[in-house]
């Protein structure tokens, strides 16, 4: 059974490569805390931090999930790190522990190929993806660069499921919100592929994109409730 938070895209939310973000090369830090809601209650938290510029940065997130629903109990913790250089993902690592069961994904860009290793249940699987076969990864949010109402389809590396998928993005609207005492532009966008679909609200804070809300549903596995993730706190360099 694949649990609700096993492949939530939100935990990658800060790691974005967009051309208009952080126009200067000054390194900045953005940290965000989130609460996760599903099955009618709050079931987990996410803490994420990005340090660097829009094209060269380090990203980390930590997720804790505890679900108690009638006779169903589930707990999970995960940690994820990524390194972006020149706007491209060059290193990736994620560990997930579910009731003592560990899953580890490691990825690295070697030349023109992104190599991945998945270790789970005593088994090891190696995968290789030519960089020319995908446009971006699900650590990045190209939809924030779309024109109002624009729809764009592209090949995306789904890191959680270690495969390349065809994903559609649509810019739905633009809004304004206040974060850290300052007004911020918010891009509302829809995304969909064979593994997941949803809507997210992405703000630009200190030149870096920050997902302030995401709601959606995973399509894989046997246990697929809808979810809502919303930020509870944002701290950023001025």
């Amino acid at each position: 059974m694949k649990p609700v938070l096993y492949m939530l895209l939100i935990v990658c939310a800060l790691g974005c490569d967009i051309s208009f973000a952080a126009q200067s090369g000054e390194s900045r830090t953005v940290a965000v805390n989130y609460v996760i809601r599903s099955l009618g209650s709050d079931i987990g938290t996410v803490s994420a931090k990005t340090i660097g510029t829009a094209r060269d940065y380090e990203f980390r997130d930590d997720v804790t999930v505890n679900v108690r629903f009638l006779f169903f109990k589930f707990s999970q913790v995960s940690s994820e790190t990524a390194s972006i250089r020149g706007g491209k993902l060059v290193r990736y690592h994620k560990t997930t522990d579910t009731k003592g069961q560990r899953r580890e994904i490691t990825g690295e860009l070697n030349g023109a190929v992104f190599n991945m290793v998945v270790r789970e249940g005593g088994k090891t699987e190696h995968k290789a993806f030519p960089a020319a076969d995908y446009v971006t990864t699900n650590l990045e949010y190209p939809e924030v660069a779309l024109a109002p109402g624009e729809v764009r389809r592209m090949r995306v590396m789904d890191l959680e499921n270690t495969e390349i998928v065809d994903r559609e993005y649509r810019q739905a609207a633009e809004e304004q919100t206040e974060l850290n005492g300052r007004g911020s532009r918010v891009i509302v966008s829809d995304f969909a592929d064979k593994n997941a679909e949803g809507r997210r609200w992405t703000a630009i804070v200190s030149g870096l994109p920050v997902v302030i809300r995401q709601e959606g549903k995973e399509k894989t596995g046997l246990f697929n409730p809808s979810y809502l993730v919303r930020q509870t706190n944002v701290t950023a360099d001025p």
Side-chain angles (χ1 to χ4, degrees):
M1 181 175 65
K2 215 164 193 177
V4 59
L5 265 302
Y6 195 72
M7 56 234 161
L8 265 184
L9 302 181
I10 181 64
V11 299
C12 304
L14 296 182
C16 308
D17 166 33
I18 54 176
S19 60
F20 59 81
Q23 297 296 331
S24 71
E26 180 183 359
S27 179
R28 294 176 177 176
T29 300
V30 177
V32 190
N33 294 321
Y34 301 90
V35 65
I36 307 161
R37 188 172 182 82
S38 186
L39 302 171
S41 62
D42 294 345
I43 64 169
T45 60
V46 182
S47 62
K49 179 180 287 188
T50 300
I51 302 175
T53 68
R55 295 185 61 79
D56 296 283
Y57 59 85
E58 302 295 324
F59 167 77
R60 179 186 175 94
D61 69 68
D62 296 283
V63 182
T64 300
V65 176
N66 287 289
V67 180
R68 290 176 174 80
F69 181 69
L70 296 178
F71 301 105
F72 175 71
K73 293 183 179 180
F74 170 78
S75 62
Q76 183 182 85
V77 295
S78 68
S79 293
E80 183 176 44
T81 61
S83 297
I84 304 292
R85 296 293 180 269
K88 296 293 183 181
L89 178 69
V90 296
R91 283 184 299 277
Y92 177 77
H93 184 246
K94 181 170 185 177
T95 59
T96 305
D97 288 296
T98 307
K99 295 183 178 179
Q101 299 297 314
R102 179 182 174 90
R103 182 173 189 252
E104 181 179 22
I105 303 173
T106 302
E108 185 169 2
L109 182 64
N110 294 307
V113 178
F114 195 84
N115 295 302
M116 302 190 78
V117 180
V118 182
R119 295 181 176 87
E120 184 176 14
K123 298 181 180 180
T124 300
E125 182 178 10
H126 295 263
K127 296 184 178 184
F129 300 95
D133 286 357
Y134 60 94
V135 177
T136 185
T137 74
N138 63 341
L139 281 178
E140 293 139 307
Y141 291 76
E143 73 271 23
V144 298
L146 300 182
E150 181 181 355
V151 177
R152 188 178 299 178
R153 298 173 180 85
M154 61 183 66
R155 299 276 283 171
V156 173
M157 170 75 76
D158 182 343
L159 295 164
E160 183 65 55
N161 292 291
T162 62
E163 64 177 331
I164 296 174
V165 298
D166 293 310
R167 174 173 288 188
E168 179 178 287
Y169 293 101
R170 182 178 69 88
Q171 207 240 50
E174 288 192 13
E175 301 175 354
Q176 292 290 324
T177 192
E178 185 173 301
L179 295 171
N180 283 348
R182 292 178 297 176
S184 298
R185 172 178 174 242
V186 178
I187 301 94
V188 184
S189 58
D190 298 325
F191 64 89
D193 60 43
K194 73 183 188 69
N195 294 327
E197 62 183 23
R199 169 169 286 194
R200 59 179 165 240
W201 289 253
T202 308
I204 307 302
V205 179
S206 293
L208 293 171
V210 174
V211 172
I212 60 174
R213 179 185 175 95
Q214 179 168 314
E215 55 189 43
K217 185 176 183 178
E218 303 298 334
K219 299 178 181 178
T220 57
L222 300 177
F223 180 64
N224 302 337
S226 299
Y227 65 84
L228 166 65
V229 183
R230 59 179 176 81
Q231 68 86 13
T232 56
N233 183 61
V234 177
T235 58
D237 292 340

